Amino acid sequence: MKVTASAPCSSANLGSGFDNLAIALDAFHDRITVVDHDGFSIIGDGVPSDPERNTAGLAALKLIDDFDLSRDLEIRIEKGVPKGLGLGSSGASAAAAVKALDEYFDLGLSQDEMISYAMIGEIASSGSPHPDNVSASISGGLVLVTRDGGLRASKINISGDYRFLIAIPDVITENKTRAARQMLPPSISLESYSRSIGRVASLIAGFMSGNRDLIRAGMNDDVVEPSRISLFPYYHKMKRMALANEAVGVAVSGAGPSILMVCDDMTEVSPIIEGTHAIFAEYGISGRIIEAKVSGGAYVEGSPVSD
């Protein structure tokens, strides 16, 4: 038996929504194939074969052990999402693996159950089971994660036609996500807490209503992004440039170093693309900028894509 599943990349946080908001994008996808095999193994170019160090493998083992399933299978990983760039690469692999295993064993897992298993895989890359990227990769669209009496991923309806520019520098840092999480402040002031809540509410309300001013206000952050600015010193200049050309909002994508720019029909895309290349050159790094749209969630190939 063979089952192949695909899951999209994602951009987490969106400024103020640290560990709670993420959006699936169609720029890149990971593919996972599960096949019958004598024993448990993981194969794929450039990925760890040790399941304890592989997000897909770790998520798979947790699911297999919880349901007392056979370990006689091989997980083949085709990486389409670039690693270490803040685009949910590890989450996409874990999401696709859980989706494939759910089909392979005919488990009938709910969406939240799949997210709960996929997030375990994130321990292999970041040291903690954060659910934002995997939630978007599994559910598709814009997702809010809550943890009140259990994990729940809620899809946020988006009003308006948005496209996204992703500025991707050619900068790879080993164990970047783990290091970036260690840079976070251990505590924040009540004032910062209150301001952050307001911004998250503004961001969600903006996407639901199609109000670009609310989205722009909500994509600001003075807690997480400033603590990591040494990882992407070009960010503030790039953000000012994009906003001056009517980008709806700009934020670091996940733990960076990629930068996400939300665009609509008012946005001057060409000057932003030119400005991005100029800023990368100013900082002595090469890079690219790609366009993306909101993606559907993980799906089993040969089955309908979730909307």
Side-chain angles (χ1 to χ4, degrees), residues 84-102:
L85 296 177
L87 297 174
S89 176
S90 59
S93 292
V98 171
K99 187 71 175 180
L101 289 167
D102 178 60

Side-chain angles (χ1 to χ4, degrees), residues 156-168:
I156 304 297
N157 291 327
I158 298 176
S159 295
D161 184 19
Y162 301 103
R163 58 194 188 281
F164 302 83
L165 295 176
I166 310 171
I168 305 175

Side-chain angles (χ1 to χ4, degrees), residues 268-289:
E268 301 173 32
V269 172
S270 293
I272 292 177
I273 294 174
E274 294 171 4
T276 296
H277 288 303
I279 291 170
F280 277 154
E282 181 181 341
Y283 282 83
I285 57 178
S286 59
R288 54 184 166 144
I289 185 164

Side-chain angles (χ1 to χ4, degrees), residues 40-43 47-58 61 124:
F40 186 84
S41 68
I42 295 175
I43 62 172
V47 300
S49 58
D50 178 0
E52 298 292 333
R53 297 178 52 243
N54 185 295
T55 58
L58 193 58
L61 287 181

Side-chain angles (χ1 to χ4, degrees), residues 25-58:
L25 301 171
D26 67 359
F28 306 102
H29 290 76
D30 275 5
R31 297 175 78 239
I32 298 288
T33 299
V34 178
V35 297
D36 299 334
H37 187 69
D38 183 15
F40 186 84
S41 68
I42 295 175
I43 62 172
D45 291 338
V47 300
S49 58
D50 178 0
E52 298 292 333
R53 297 178 52 243
N54 185 295
T55 58
L58 193 58

